[in-house]
Amino acid sequence: MSKASLSMRPALQGYVLLAPALLVYLLFAVYPMIDVIRMSFASWNGLSAESRFVGIDNYRAVLTQDPVFWGALWNTLWWTALAVVIPNLISFGLALALNQNVPGRSSLRVVFYLPVIIASIAVATIWKWMYDPFFGLFNSLLTSWGLSDWIVDWLGDRKIALWSVFAAHVWQSVGFSMVLFLAGLQSVSLTLIEAARIDGAGRWAVFRHVTLPALTPTITIVFVLSLINSLKAFDIVYGMTGGGPAQSTQMLAMWAYTQSMQLGDFGRGAAISVILLLITLAVVVPYMRWMFRNPEDAR
Amino acid sequence: MRFKKMAATAASALTLAAILAGGAVRADELKVWTLTFDNNSANGAWTKIIKDFEAANPGIKISREGRSVDEHKAALRVAAQSSQGPDIYFMWAGLGLGGEFVKAGLSKPLDAYYEKYGWDKRLTPSAASFSKLYEGKRHGVPYTFHGEGIYYNKALFEKAGITSVPQTYDELKDDAAKFKKAGIAAFTFGGSVNWHVMRLMDVILEAKCGADKHDQLMDMKLDWSTEPCATASFEELNDWSQNYILKPFMGIDNSQAFKLFLANRAAMMLEGDWLVDQLRGAKKLEGIDLFPFPTGTDRLYGFAEYLYVSAKSAHPDDAAKFLDYLLSDKVQQESLGAFGSISVNSNVKYEKVDALDQKWIDIFGKYKKIYMNGDQAFPLDVTTEYFRVINEVASGNMKPADAGKTLQTFISNRKG
Amino acid sequence: MSLLSQAFRPVGSNRVDPMLVALWLALVVLALVWITPFIFIVFTALKSSDAVMNTSAFALPTEPDFGNFVSAWQRGNFSTTAFNGVIITFIKVPLGLFISAMAAYALAKVPMRFSKVFLALCVFGTMLPFQVMLAPIFKQVNAFGLINTYPGIILPYLAFGVPYQVFILHGFFAAVPKELSEAARIDGASHFTIFRRIFLPVSLPVLSALLILDFVATWNEFAMALVILQDPKMWTLPLGLMNFQSQFQSNYGELNAAIIMTVLPAAIVYLMFQRYFVAGLTTGAVKE
């Protein structure tokens, strides 16, 4: 190989190195994305051999006739907004606290990070069991504290089901952003902090003028990562409620899956996928433009 | 050269994966896809049947794969497009669930085999009748024939002062009121699996609409929004769920509901004949009795499960041979009670059965006609909407008056 | 006391800061809340079904019963699902890292036309949620006849794992000083050699962090496996757990035993390697 490669032009060598990753990426990620757009203009039940071009029928059906779509869209947006804010605020607070000189820092860090490495489907199972209305943790705690009136059907009441699922999501996701923030805090210069202290700056001033500016790139990354992650909320909802009760916790990604893979309407499923893709792009494209303009900030 | 070594490792890993993937298929293997079974006797019976059949037919290997209901449906759909499919698959009978796969050409017509093996001579007519539902050809053979009725806790009935089982729907409602007065939940359902609460809606429809209208509603020939009995049924559903069902029920599933029934938390449960075996397993046969849901029609709530031969099977003759063995007097007699209380084979003798089994045998003997579960009558997408509407009404989020209209709007919007 | 003597003192101060003590207490309380589900799960897994229904949630299991683990292992078909998980993860993770590293090196260090385009395509890919496209991915895998096979799940895993890894490694390789590779180029070494001799060794910390990250992600992946692995014989642990949950929801002891057995391998791997993980993530993702 080394003999042959010597005679190979450098650029060609580069393409050889690039090829395997590029090939698998194009075949199994990029092509399906193009395919889903094509499918969204066709009618196909997954059983028959061919599909039929139907124009924008699928989109019209999804937008005007689907009794679940708008609820799922609303849930997805709502979930995304909350998932970007709430867990990350907790993570940020935890990271700041764990960056202080307190005993047992590393054990505490492990405790908060542990849920991250657990499969979402296991998190769903754990929390579903804790929410069990008759024998689960929450309702037995409420009973033993004499608060039986507070007992609710955590996953069966549409007013709170999505909140219940969200609580599990917070438990699971706080640790991930926390580690990123902790890593970002390593880059905050200690000398700068000390200098500020000596200059008589208070806690808040140090935080505001030294810590926060240094963390800006990290905050951006955390923001984008959790935004993307929450748009694809699937496992945890699938495992905990399956979209119920009465589709009230349905999400776009799962509804697209349900339409295609369970109801066999691949056209409508694809139309929902494309809509979710467009929403994702609305986030991704501005971020990418920003990143390629300021490559230093982005890393 | 480390690079070479790494490349070689990667390559050999891929080869290994390819071998592992390809090694499973053998020419004379029959794949049978069924559900997974909660009770071990069904699993045991299948294992024995397959073992005995393989011993008698050395040329044929059989592998059975079991899945939960939703996964089974999804997997079959997938199988329709790939070559990975089964030779024999389980599916409910009827135009809804079973019919969809027949319509898509996934099922092989079995007229020739019905003739060759003379299956009609040994199958009970009601169980076999479903194979003739499909236009033109006969599809599938009966695997089980199930009835659903009300199981009740005898002690709780006594406690509420109820001395005889209700004969009409109104009497049942009166009894429910008595339970409420006595502080006992009349029914337990698990709402997280949509089809469990649906059963209540199905039987109410039968009671409120009568046989003909009920059938027309399920055929989508009658308008749900204008038919008064449909709205009346949704009102009843709402009444039951607000007043007489053990709460909370939307967040639990059917097996949890069964646990609560066993723990005397509710007086009744609307379940199928398979529950007898589960009661036997839990050693709770003593305190429980059953009666058909009183609807005023002379039809039993129930359905048939079928085994179909895939049109894509490379060995349809072997598949038919296995089905013939499965339906034989000997096998059906041996595995009696494992799949359901009664056999689809009319030559089977019933001896040494528990009281509840006998109850079912009597019920099956009494009724000539049946009405099916909603999710087996409707196409899949309508079923999904039917579930949603039922859940909304049952949890008090949708007015019963709006329910029929919502469902009808969905039905009217369907293409073709 | 000597261990604690340095605690609670802010940077550059020798006095104990009461704010920090309060903060620490709050952290400990929150950590207890965070760990509660695990305790609850372990307790339930050790109880019989009757004990679950008749004792309080936090009652210690008086007669610890490991039978739940044995029967859940059998009923949940754990030997099959664990084996599949091992095969898939142990092939996918190293293979994916290797091809990603090659591609990242090519994009960072080999002058090529379009390399900016490829990189942009790659960054785009890191943000492409595959959960959105389960049906077309299924269709594509099916077109290759790979449904229910190891390659059928590994290939899409690779496709959606590559972008992020290339992105991270590209950032790392790009920061490696030019002189290091230029010298070798002048000596006549090919890019293959430079990649292998110089860049792979220096990127080991990043690679090991990515390895752990990818191991956990692959081991836990659910949605893609749900669509592609329809055959119970091919299921991975998360699919097995999901099926177990829908079948034996009411058998609380066994269900919790099944949860523990599903979760444990990833937890052990993480706890063993967390030191490298945090270090690697710091160098790779955020700081460098």
Side-chain angles (χ1 to χ4, degrees), chain B residues 80 113 214 299 314 322 370 383:
Chain B
Y113 298 114
H214 186 191
R299 304 200 296 179
F322 175 69
I370 67 159
T383 298

Side-chain angles (χ1 to χ4, degrees), chain B residues 107-370:
Chain B
S107 163
K108 187 181 176 63
L110 299 180
D111 302 69
Y113 298 114
Y114 267 93
E115 187 132 343
K116 179 179 171 196
Y117 291 108
W119 285 333
D120 282 324
K121 272 178 237 140
R122 59 181 118 120
L123 292 174
T124 54
S126 51
S129 66
F130 291 87
S131 66
K132 299 170 190 160
L133 278 175
Y134 314 101
E135 278 160 42
K137 304 277 189 183
R138 298 182 70 174
H139 289 272
V141 298
Y143 160 59
T144 64
F145 184 51
H146 288 301
E148 291 146 286
I150 296 178
Y151 290 79
Y152 67 96
N153 184 320
K154 288 192 264 190
L156 289 180
F157 262 57
E158 243 168 65
K159 205 168 151 195
I162 301 165
T163 46
S164 65
V165 297
Q167 298 300 318
T168 66
Y169 180 73
D170 291 334
E171 283 179 37
L172 181 67
K173 280 298 283 277
D174 291 345
D175 289 348
K178 283 182 201 162
F179 279 121
K180 193 177 165 80
K181 221 177 197 172
I184 301 165
F187 267 105
T188 172
F189 283 100
S192 71
V193 283
N194 302 296
W195 39 263
H196 209 228
V197 179
M198 178 204 69
R199 288 182 188 158
L200 182 60
M201 184 65 195
D202 287 342
V203 292
I204 293 174
L205 277 170
E206 180 80 359
K208 287 280 150 190
C209 297
D212 291 342
K213 277 190 178 173
H214 186 191
D215 283 352
Q216 284 175 317
L217 282 169
M218 300 318 280
D219 280 352
M220 299 181 284
K221 297 206 173 93
L222 212 58
D223 193 317
W224 283 78
S225 59
T226 54
E227 177 50 52
C229 78
T231 305
S233 300
F234 280 118
E235 264 155 18
E236 286 294 315
L237 176 70
N238 184 49
D239 189 33
W240 279 104
S241 54
Q242 297 306 310
N243 295 309
Y244 309 123
I245 297 180
L246 178 61
K247 281 190 193 176
F249 64 93
M250 286 305 290
I252 61 171
D253 71 4
N254 59 314
S255 68
Q256 287 167 291
F258 181 53
K259 273 256 149 76
L260 293 164
F261 180 63
L262 290 182
N264 305 325
R265 299 282 289 267
M268 293 182 278
M269 209 175 171
L270 181 53
E271 274 291 350
D273 54 277
W274 54 84
L275 202 75
V276 177
D277 213 54
Q278 290 179 35
L279 286 166
R280 211 179 345 253
K283 301 198 168 53
K284 296 272 189 177
L285 279 175
E286 283 309 306
I288 311 289
D289 204 351
L290 74 98
F291 59 92
F293 193 97
T295 55
T297 64
D298 56 354
R299 304 200 296 179
L300 177 67
Y301 185 40
F303 58 90
E305 294 167 322
Y306 264 47
L307 292 169
Y308 299 83
V309 175
S310 166
K312 292 195 168 185
S313 170
H315 316 284
D317 291 343
D318 290 347
K321 197 170 185 182
F322 175 69
L323 290 179
D324 181 59
Y325 178 73
L326 185 72
L327 296 174
S328 66
D329 298 356
K330 169 182 158 282
V331 171
Q332 288 291 319
Q333 187 75 55
E334 279 173 4
S335 50
L336 185 62
F339 306 136
S341 303
I342 65 152
S343 167
V344 294
N345 184 319
S346 54
N347 299 331
V348 165
K349 306 271 181 297
Y350 300 91
E351 291 153 10
K352 289 192 295 182
V353 290
D354 286 309
L356 280 178
D357 292 313
Q358 190 56 48
K359 257 287 174 21
W360 274 116
I361 294 164
D362 294 344
I363 291 172
F364 283 124
K366 193 178 136 207
Y367 288 90
K368 295 281 171 282
K369 286 183 278 186
I370 67 159

